[in-house]
Amino acid sequence: MNIHYIEYSIETNSLDIFFAGCNNRCKDCYNANLMDFENGTYYKEWLPKISHYLQNFRPLINRIFLVGGSPNHQDEGEMEDFLSTLKQDYPSIPIYAFCGEEIENVNNTLKAYCDKIKTGAYTPSLRTDSNIQDGIKLATSNQRVLYKGIDY
């Protein structure tokens, strides 16, 4: 499981973790360069840098976004290792997974560890600027933010 890069988003006060690899191949994909699973660097090499950001910039970081590529298409064992580390070290920071599938097709590891999951494929014909959920501007009208314990 590779991470391509991380960044802080001032718009959402989130630490965004971009995974390499996606099987969906959505038309007009926003992150087409992240489709290849070989891009990026092995996730364990990123853990010290992620910890540095979460420790030193905690007042600015209100949530962690798993984006990509797709967090749903990663090795489940490695994703569980990664997420269990984050949850153990930073239990008060909610984790969001951005998935292009409906909730029934999201893997159980993400459902177990993520507080919220964005579902729905990117569909260019459904593009909108008005789908804002949980303070997040979603790209298309078919996408939703689901809540653990309520929606899954």
Side-chain angles (χ1 to χ4, degrees), residues 84-101:
S84 67
T85 299
L86 286 180
K87 279 295 189 186
Q88 177 183 319
D89 295 347
Y90 309 98
S92 65
I93 304 175
I95 300 174
Y96 293 59
F98 284 65
C99 301
E101 295 80 21

Side-chain angles (χ1 to χ4, degrees), residues 15 17-18 24 26 28 31 52 68 72 77 82 85 91 97-99 103 115 126 137 139 147 149:
L15 183 65
I17 302 170
F18 289 81
N24 288 342
C26 298
D28 299 328
N31 289 327
H52 169 78
N72 196 42
F82 178 73
T85 299
F98 284 65
C99 301
I103 195 65
D115 303 284
L126 299 176
K137 184 178 170 187
Y147 295 71

Side-chain angles (χ1 to χ4, degrees), residues 1-3 40-50:
M1 182 173 81
N2 288 343
I3 294 174
T41 305
Y42 189 57
Y43 78 99
K44 286 191 178 195
E45 293 179 39
W46 278 95
L47 288 174
K49 189 170 192 170
I50 291 168

Side-chain angles (χ1 to χ4, degrees), residues 13 44 66 68 77 88 92-93 97 104 111 115 120 144 148:
N13 295 329
K44 286 191 178 195
L66 309 179
Q88 177 183 319
S92 65
I93 304 175
E104 59 271 8
K111 290 177 186 175
D115 303 284
R144 296 181 45 217
K148 183 176 184 176

